[in-house]
Amino acid sequence: MSEIKKNSEIVVEPYLPDEDYDNPAMVTDFYEFTMANALFLNGFKDVKMVFDMFFRKNPDNMGYSISCGQHKLVRFLQNYHFTDRDIRWLRYKGMSEEFCEYLRDYRWKGDLYMLKEGTVCYPQVPMVRVECDMVGAILIETYLLQTMNFHSLIATKATRITGLNVHRPRNVMEFGTRRAQGESAGNDGAYAAVLGGCIGTANCLAEMKFGPEVNAVGTIAHSFIEFFPDEYQAFKAYADVYPDNVSLLLDTYSIFESGLPNLIKIDDYLIEKYPDDPNRRVKSARIDSGDLARGYKRLRKELDKAGKSYIKLVASNSLDEKKMANMEMYEEAAFDAYGVGEKLITAATDPVFGGVYKLVAVKEEDGTYTPKMKCSDSVSKVIIPGKLMAWRLFDEEGKGQCDIIAMDDEEFKDGDEIEVVNLDPDVYRARRVLKAVHIEKLLIPHLIGGELVLDLPDIKTKKEYIKEQLETRVWESELRPEMPHQHYVDLTVKVSEMRSEMYRRLHGGEI
């Protein structure tokens, strides 16, 4: 029993913490519980709320982002529940008995509309739309934001590190688990990095969780080489055990005085040992220190000279997309593959995606929706109210021309002329009419009444979807690394006028 009656008072037993306990439903900021409890006690438990999740700027001020995390969010909501331990802690924290008992049997039965996982996305456009009873709408905020923000951040960064955005794909292995901010970041980051174009990860658990598409890769570290009396013996010990996958690290002592000569020597050893099996040769060599570009050119020259052009060269050591591009473009040092760690798994140049979760409408008893709006004294934080739908309009070449934010009851089809208002307050002639050569809805139903209503694609399909969009469905000017074009985001006249009127009424003045 969690409560003991004593002298006509209810005394709540102290809660004893458990370091091994884990229920994702409790990944919740405490104010979500205090709000939900207060609304529950005021009789609003069955009121349906509509929340939108969106973000306000692309990481690193780039021209696009990748929406990711939908698969994990769906799994979370399908398994959403509270345990006896959760209920006991909530009582201990002052939540009402009625609210706690309600949560005991609670299951998530809302509607979840989202961009398809891997969809190229842009600021202000809803990525996720939740419509659910009050409890299910409020209490999922933190987990939803944590999941969508982190996955989207790493997938976006990965598309740039792997070169998908500039249509020059690189073979990149994700090496960041040991630099990640915790176990879950290492696992989820590996998944998102593979969606963004990586060919593998150093993380074993990630492959065990997500399958062979998130391929665990790796060979040896400096410690293995240091263990042996000399470098050649270390190379030989490894090659004898793994003759079909000999990939060696050259910079334990000296790349050119020791590593390179022993690399050639061990490859000659394999040729002598397996003369009729050309697969049993040194596959690659990695360098992890020094001037990587100069090291590449000298190694490539010496290996080619020795008749070993088949040995591929791999680079690691605090790499990111700019360092790799500089080596490739200005120094003609195009490594065959790269291992990228902390700069990818932490998105080090801009480590916060910044998605937010805002109440935009409340469903009334007659089935209509009352729009809700945070006005703010900062115009940049004025949200777009109402139950919304996002659309993407494509030009004659099949590339995304702009995104249109409409009311959910507004419908469009190919060939329509659509009057829109540009969200950018500085744009010249904000109001214009667009001809919809082709137009698509972006927010797709994933859960309806808590039930899954679509087949979730596999990792390979999502990875190909991201690549295909960046190659054929996005303006090249949005993808360039420097001063990219900012994708047009427009409101329908209906949304724009409602937003302006609500701002005047609630805050005063003009947006």
Side-chain angles (χ1 to χ4, degrees):
M1 294 291 291
S2 295
E3 296 174 351
I4 303 171
K5 284 198 174 186
K6 183 179 181 181
N7 296 329
S8 301
E9 294 181 0
I10 294 178
V11 178
V12 179
E13 292 181 355
Y15 175 82
L16 299 178
D18 178 358
E19 290 188 39
D20 297 321
Y21 183 68
D22 182 29
N23 178 11
M26 295 302 290
V27 180
T28 306
D29 286 302
F30 189 60
Y31 76 79
E32 293 162 33
F33 278 115
T34 61
M35 290 192 299
N37 184 53
L39 289 170
F40 181 92
L41 293 177
N42 277 278
F44 297 116
K45 74 177 178 69
D46 295 322
V47 172
K48 287 197 172 182
M49 296 177 163
V50 181
F51 279 82
D52 281 347
M53 183 258 170
F54 61 94
F55 63 103
R56 293 191 172 100
K57 76 175 191 68
N58 292 310
D60 291 310
N61 294 313
M62 299 297 287
Y64 73 98
S65 294
I66 301 294
S67 176
C68 189
Q70 287 87 339
H71 185 93
K72 186 172 184 179
L73 181 59
V74 165
R75 285 170 53 86
F76 165 73
L77 294 176
Q78 288 183 303
N79 192 43
Y80 192 78
H81 69 282
F82 296 95
T83 69
D84 289 343
R85 177 174 285 274
D86 303 330
I87 302 303
R88 190 160 63 249
W89 182 82
L90 288 168
R91 286 196 181 109
Y92 166 72
K93 295 293 288 186
M95 299 299 105
S96 69
E97 175 67 16
E98 299 90 337
F99 180 59
C100 288
E101 285 304 308
Y102 178 74
L103 292 182
R104 186 182 297 279
D105 298 317
Y106 185 84
R107 296 295 183 268
W108 203 86
K109 299 296 183 183
D111 296 345
L112 180 71
Y113 281 66
M114 300 189 285
L115 305 182
K116 291 193 297 184
E117 187 158 35
T119 298
V120 173
C121 56
Y122 303 97
Q124 304 297 337
V125 180
M127 291 172 63
V128 180
R129 189 184 80 196
V130 169
E131 181 174 348
C132 190
D133 62 87
M134 177 274 296
V135 166
I138 288 178
L139 295 184
I140 67 169
E141 175 182 2
T142 299
Y143 190 94
L144 182 152
L145 287 174
Q146 180 188 79
T147 299
M148 298 302 297
N149 279 330
F150 181 71
H151 283 75
S152 299
L153 180 70
I154 303 307
T156 302
K157 184 68 169 178
T159 61
R160 302 203 301 272
I161 284 179
T162 60
L164 291 185
N165 63 319
V166 291
H167 306 160
R168 295 176 182 172
R170 303 181 181 98
N171 293 316
V172 175
M173 296 166 284
E174 185 279 308
F175 279 4
T177 305
R178 63 189 61 193
R179 302 285 196 270
Q181 280 95 343
E183 177 186 329
S184 63
N187 296 328
D188 292 342
Y191 166 89
V194 167
L195 289 193
C198 286
I199 61 173
T201 175
N203 188 329
C204 297
L205 183 58
E207 179 175 337
M208 293 177 70
K209 287 170 70 70
F210 304 118
E213 285 297 323
V214 186
N215 184 32
V217 297
T219 55
I220 57 174
H222 297 109
S223 59
F224 182 89
I225 297 169
E226 291 170 42
F227 174 80
F228 289 86
D230 61 57
E231 190 174 52
Y232 178 74
Q233 289 187 56
F235 286 0
K236 183 176 181 296
Y238 190 84
D240 284 338
V241 175
Y242 304 106
D244 297 309
N245 186 32
V246 182
S247 181
L248 302 172
L249 184 59
L250 301 186
D251 67 335
T252 303
Y253 303 117
S254 169
I255 294 173
F256 297 102
E257 298 301 319
S258 176
L260 176 60
N262 285 320
L263 175 71
I264 293 173
K265 187 178 177 182
I266 203 67
D267 192 58
D268 289 340
Y269 164 76
L270 289 168
I271 292 172
E272 183 178 351
K273 187 174 182 179
Y274 306 104
D276 300 322
D277 190 348
N279 186 55
R280 292 188 164 182
R281 305 289 183 264
V282 173
K283 295 294 197 305
S284 64
R286 177 165 65 97
I287 56 176
D288 188 55
S289 59
D291 187 322
L292 297 178
R294 292 184 66 188
Y296 168 86
K297 287 188 283 188
R298 185 173 171 186
L299 283 170
R300 186 75 277 156
K301 180 179 179 180
E302 294 296 328
L303 288 171
D304 290 350
K305 183 179 177 181
K308 300 183 184 301
S309 57
Y310 49 83
I311 296 179
K312 299 183 182 301
L313 294 177
V314 182
S316 56
N317 188 22
S318 296
L319 293 170
D320 63 15
E321 65 270 34
K322 290 186 178 180
K323 287 184 180 180
M324 290 186 288
N326 286 340
M327 289 195 296
E328 293 163 352
M329 295 173 62
Y330 302 121
E331 300 183 79
E332 297 182 345
F335 283 87
D336 298 289
Y338 301 90
V340 181
E342 70 265 23
K343 298 296 177 68
L344 171 54
I345 202 68
T346 66
T349 52
D350 194 353
V352 177
F353 193 73
V356 296
Y357 183 75
K358 299 296 182 184
L359 177 67
V360 293
V362 172
K363 189 174 184 180
E364 304 297 343
E365 290 183 1
D366 63 2
T368 62
Y369 292 85
T370 299
K372 299 293 179 178
M373 183 182 195
K374 173 191 173 184
C375 293
S376 178
D377 290 330
S378 174
V379 173
S380 66
K381 289 199 168 186
V382 175
I383 70 166
I384 303 168
K387 185 178 180 181
L388 305 173
M389 174 54 67
W391 299 75
R392 184 158 297 162
L393 191 151
F394 295 87
D395 62 17
E396 294 83 354
E397 296 180 356
K399 298 181 185 294
Q401 177 181 350
C402 68
D403 284 10
I404 299 173
I405 302 173
M407 299 304 296
D408 188 54
D409 60 3
E410 294 186 274
E411 289 288 335
F412 307 106
K413 63 183 184 300
D414 294 354
D416 282 354
E417 291 188 345
I418 308 168
E419 188 173 9
V420 297
V421 181
N422 195 298
L423 256 180
D424 185 350
D426 296 324
V427 73
Y428 178 69
R429 257 181 52 189
R431 203 158 175 146
R432 54 191 177 138
V433 175
L434 303 174
K435 178 68 174 292
V437 176
H438 177 60
I439 192 166
E440 295 179 3
K441 275 186 178 181
L442 293 178
L443 293 177
I444 307 300
H446 285 62
L447 297 175
I448 299 295
E451 298 295 326
L452 188 66
V453 294
L454 83 169
D455 293 328
L456 296 174
D458 60 23
I459 289 175
K460 182 180 179 181
T461 300
K462 288 182 281 195
K463 185 173 183 176
E464 291 172 349
Y465 173 57
I466 292 173
K467 184 174 184 288
E468 186 269 337
Q469 288 174 94
L470 294 176
E471 287 180 346
T472 66
R473 290 168 69 83
V474 177
W475 282 352
E476 287 80 359
S477 56
E478 294 177 3
L479 302 176
R480 61 186 176 225
E482 302 295 335
M483 299 181 66
H485 165 71
Q486 298 303 309
H487 187 80
Y488 298 120
V489 176
D490 301 313
L491 308 178
T492 62
V493 172
K494 185 175 181 179
V495 172
S496 178
E497 290 181 349
M498 178 191 64
R499 181 174 183 244
S500 296
E501 174 56 33
M502 287 189 70
Y503 190 81
R504 283 191 292 269
R505 177 166 53 85
L506 296 171
H507 187 274
E510 301 292 329
I511 296 178

